[in-house]
Amino acid sequence: MRPHLVLNPASAAGRTGRHVDHIARAVRRAVGEFDLSFTQRRGDGVALARDAARAGSGLVVAVGGDGTASEVVDGLVQAARTGAVFGFIPRGTGGDLRRTLGVPEDVEAAASALQAGADLVMDLGRVELTGHDGAPVTRTFANVAGFGIAGEVVRQVERTGKAFGGRTAFMLASGKALLGWRDVPVRWRIDGGPWREERITSVSVCNGRFFGGGMMVAPGARVDDGLFDVTVWKGLGLADFVLRKGMLYDGSHVRLPNTTALRGAVVEAEPLDGDPILLDVDGEQPGRLPARFTMLPGALCARVPRTSA
């Protein structure tokens, strides 16, 4: 079966939709003929990817940002045991999964990797969370999920958009969210260990290394080691973000006294008071605590450049 592209025309501030012909030519040169479907609203990528895999496509390619990629991954997981491979042509503004997987930002180079790349058997995360309406929601994530300030930052980005680029959008949203931020009380634990009751700025459950438009939140994370890298920030304020911003982007923040790095396969968390604590799941904001994050070892086969495999 031909490769199937799931394309989000609204990604990259609408530039993806305006450049469909250019993207199609690059993919056709790399892999030959392909099938193409378009997302129209949030969540479409899940169903489109699932249906493409179940119809027999051996390579299902997300064309869009991290949110589109996350939906396509979710769809492939739902289409269990089809053997479909995940491909990615990054067209978003954040670029965090692209950085983690080493996929080129250039369309022609990313398309070439669909043909000449290597297959990487990678882990995924599953998060069982509470939707905004109080109903249970289950999502798969390829890169990073978490709660605390990260969820508030994503909410700010969703409100204001990314017209000036992903890194700028996340930097501005982070500064706005930290202005007047007070750490939130949570009860959480790793791998069934003792519960911790503490105030946190953010807890990030990381399969990949980057989030927030290029912040290296978990510099030691690998997508194929069967464990999450869990980064805990406490007492992080606006002054830290302004004065130590470089450390957040190069990964050296793990040396700071208000950063703790842990590893594990299951993370559980719940709020300690009535205020909602928002989640960030691959750069989207689907709900709030309580939540359970579970590692899914070797759950996805991804086509990546050979230098990244």
Side-chain angles (χ1 to χ4, degrees):
M1 293 287 290
R2 298 190 298 190
H4 191 109
L5 271 60
V6 177
L7 185 146
N8 178 5
S11 63
R15 291 188 298 275
T16 302
R18 294 192 294 272
H19 297 145
V20 170
D21 289 345
H22 170 64
I23 296 167
R25 286 194 298 271
V27 173
R28 193 170 287 114
R29 283 195 297 268
V31 301
E33 293 303 316
F34 58 89
D35 295 319
L36 174 64
S37 57
F38 295 89
T39 64
Q40 298 182 33
R41 61 188 65 85
R42 180 168 294 179
D44 282 356
V46 179
L48 293 172
R50 181 185 63 230
D51 293 348
R54 287 178 176 171
S57 180
L59 177 64
V60 181
V61 183
V63 185
D66 290 343
T68 306
S70 184
E71 289 188 4
V72 168
V73 167
D74 221 350
L76 294 180
V77 171
Q78 291 183 19
R81 295 183 294 278
T82 62
V85 175
F86 168 73
F88 190 27
I89 296 179
R91 293 288 300 168
T93 49
D96 293 311
L97 183 61
R98 172 186 66 77
R99 292 181 180 91
T100 288
L101 296 181
V103 178
E105 193 170 11
D106 176 75
V107 169
E108 285 79 6
S112 295
L114 298 176
Q115 176 63 33
D119 288 348
L120 170 68
V121 178
M122 62 178 285
D123 307 327
L124 296 174
R126 181 179 65 226
V127 54
E128 300 159 272
L129 59 103
T130 305
H132 293 296
D133 61 358
V137 175
T138 300
R139 288 283 304 270
T140 304
F141 62 97
N143 193 40
V144 176
F147 52 91
I149 191 72
E152 180 60 32
V153 168
V154 172
R155 183 168 70 168
Q156 295 283 353
V157 170
E158 289 181 347
R159 285 177 173 175
T160 58
K162 305 175 185 176
F164 298 104
R167 180 164 179 165
T168 300
F170 279 101
M171 284 178 61
L172 293 173
S174 296
K176 186 174 181 180
L178 284 166
L179 187 64
W181 171 265
R182 297 178 63 183
D183 282 6
V184 291
V186 297
R187 182 173 182 259
W188 70 285
R189 66 179 179 175
I190 295 181
D191 291 343
W195 288 97
R196 305 162 183 252
E197 295 188 0
E198 56 190 352
R199 288 185 171 271
I200 58 94
T201 307
S202 188
V203 174
S204 298
V205 182
C206 307
N207 189 40
R209 292 182 294 154
F210 298 94
F211 83 157
M215 295 183 195
M216 195 183 296
V217 62
R222 291 180 54 91
V223 296
D224 59 356
D225 63 357
L227 290 172
F228 293 124
D229 283 47
V230 181
T231 300
V232 184
W233 287 336
K234 292 189 287 187
L236 182 71
L238 183 59
D240 295 290
F241 182 73
V242 172
L243 298 175
R244 295 170 171 169
K245 181 175 63 178
M247 300 181 75
L248 299 176
Y249 283 93
D250 67 15
S252 59
H253 65 89
V254 295
R255 301 198 303 263
L256 295 174
N258 58 354
T259 302
T260 303
L262 305 166
R263 305 191 81 211
V266 178
V267 178
E268 301 164 89
E270 57 190 44
L272 280 177
D273 61 24
D275 292 333
I277 298 176
L278 301 180
L279 290 169
D280 163 23
V281 180
D282 274 350
E284 296 190 345
Q285 210 287 290
R288 53 186 168 81
L289 294 184
R292 176 184 174 94
F293 308 80
T294 305
M295 170 59 67
L296 305 176
L300 182 73
C301 183
R303 184 71 49 82
V304 298
R306 290 191 175 275
T307 55
S308 304

